[in-house]
Amino acid sequence: MFKVVIPARFASSRLPGKPLLDIAGKPMVIQVAVQASKSQAGEVVIATDHAPILQVAGQYGYASVMTRADHPSGTDRIAEVVQSMGWSDETIVVNVQGDEPLIDPVLINEVAQALHNDSQAVMATACHPIHDLEHFENPNVVKVVLNASGQALYFSRAAIPYPRDAEYKQHLVAHRHIGIYAYRVGFLKRYASLPVTSLEQIESLEQLRVLYHGYQIAVTVTEHAPATGVDTPADLAAVREIFSRTA
C-alpha cells in the first residue's frame, strides 16, 4: 500500500492558475486526483501553496495540505508534506504531478512497485522507448540512460546516449523520461536537506540532485507513451477534447 501526493502550485509562467482550470466540469487538479484514486493508493493528498486549491480539494472530499510557496521543486513540496502527515519512514509516496489529468492509474502502481522491488533505490520513476529522431533531439523531451539493473545513470535534455555512428542513429535505442516519482518517506526527509546542485539547475531537472549525491533511482520501462500533460493553452484544449470524447 502506498500514498499519492499531488503537488499543485498555483503560479505557472505559461498557464497561470492551471490547477483550477476547468476540464469536463471539474478543476484540473481534481481530475488528477480522480485518476490517482483509481490506483492502488491507500490515500491521495493534494499539496498546494494556494488557499483556493485547498478549498476545492475539500469540496471534492480530498485530503490537502498547505505548503510554503518557495519550494524549488515538487519533490521539496512533498518533503514538507510527509513531515506533517506522520507517515512511517518505509511508506512509499508517489508524486503525481498536478497537471496530468490523463495519468494512467496502472503507471502509478508500476512506479510504486518498482521502488518496492529495489531495496537499493531511494526513488523510482518511469520511461518509455523513443523511436524517432525528432523527439530524441528535442530538448523539451527529457531522456534517461539506464544501467544493467534498470537504475538511472543520468537524465538529460540532451540527446543521450548520443549515436556517434550512422548505424546507431538508424537503430535508435533511447528512452524518454516520464515525470512521475515514487520515494520512501525516510529519503524524502533527507532530500529536503540535500543542497541544490549545479547539474539540477543547468538541466532544470530535480531528479539530478538525487544522482549527484550518490543515491540510486529505479526506472520502470513502459512500452506506451503516456497521455499529454497540460503545460500550454494548446495542451489544455487537447485534453479538454479528449475528455469530451470520453464523457
Side-chain angles (χ1 to χ4, degrees), residues 31-217:
Q31 294 288 14
V32 176
V34 168
Q35 289 299 100
S37 297
K38 296 175 185 176
S39 75
Q40 294 169 355
E43 191 172 356
V44 175
V45 179
I46 295 170
T48 186
D49 57 0
H50 192 62
I53 295 175
L54 206 70
Q55 277 186 321
V56 160
Q59 288 168 8
Y60 284 89
Y62 289 99
S64 57
V65 175
M66 179 66 81
T67 59
R68 302 197 325 263
D70 60 348
H71 287 300
S73 72
T75 301
D76 290 283
R77 192 174 305 282
I78 292 175
E80 181 184 349
V81 171
V82 302
Q83 294 283 4
S84 66
M85 295 299 289
W87 295 329
S88 71
D89 283 357
E90 290 305 309
T91 300
I92 290 175
V93 177
V94 180
N95 172 352
V96 176
Q97 297 184 26
D99 57 5
E100 297 280 351
L102 296 170
I103 186 74
D104 188 342
V106 174
L107 180 61
I108 298 173
N109 297 336
E110 288 176 347
V111 172
Q113 190 64 43
L115 182 55
H116 175 79
N117 292 345
D118 190 338
S119 61
Q120 293 183 324
V122 298
M123 247 176 93
T125 189
C127 69
H128 67 86
I130 296 174
H131 298 294
D132 62 273
L133 279 175
E134 180 182 356
H135 284 91
F136 181 59
E137 295 173 345
N138 184 346
N140 293 317
V141 175
V142 177
K143 275 70 69 174
V144 60
V145 173
L146 311 181
N147 67 15
S149 300
Q151 296 167 337
L153 286 171
Y154 190 65
F155 298 85
S156 183
R157 297 182 182 280
I160 59 170
Y162 183 78
R164 189 193 69 170
D165 300 326
E167 63 178 300
Y168 294 113
K169 189 170 286 192
Q170 291 171 359
H171 304 284
L172 185 65
V173 179
H175 290 92
R176 177 179 186 165
H177 176 235
I178 303 169
I180 182 172
Y181 303 101
Y183 331 77
R184 292 186 180 88
V185 165
F187 173 70
L188 278 169
K189 293 174 180 176
R190 298 198 298 277
Y191 180 90
S193 64
L194 294 177
V196 175
T197 70
S198 58
L199 280 179
E200 173 186 4
Q201 293 174 320
I202 290 166
E203 294 257 24
S204 190
L205 297 174
E206 63 191 275
Q207 64 272 32
L208 291 178
R209 191 188 315 178
V210 179
L211 295 183
Y212 181 87
H213 289 288
Y215 296 99
Q216 292 168 313
I217 301 175

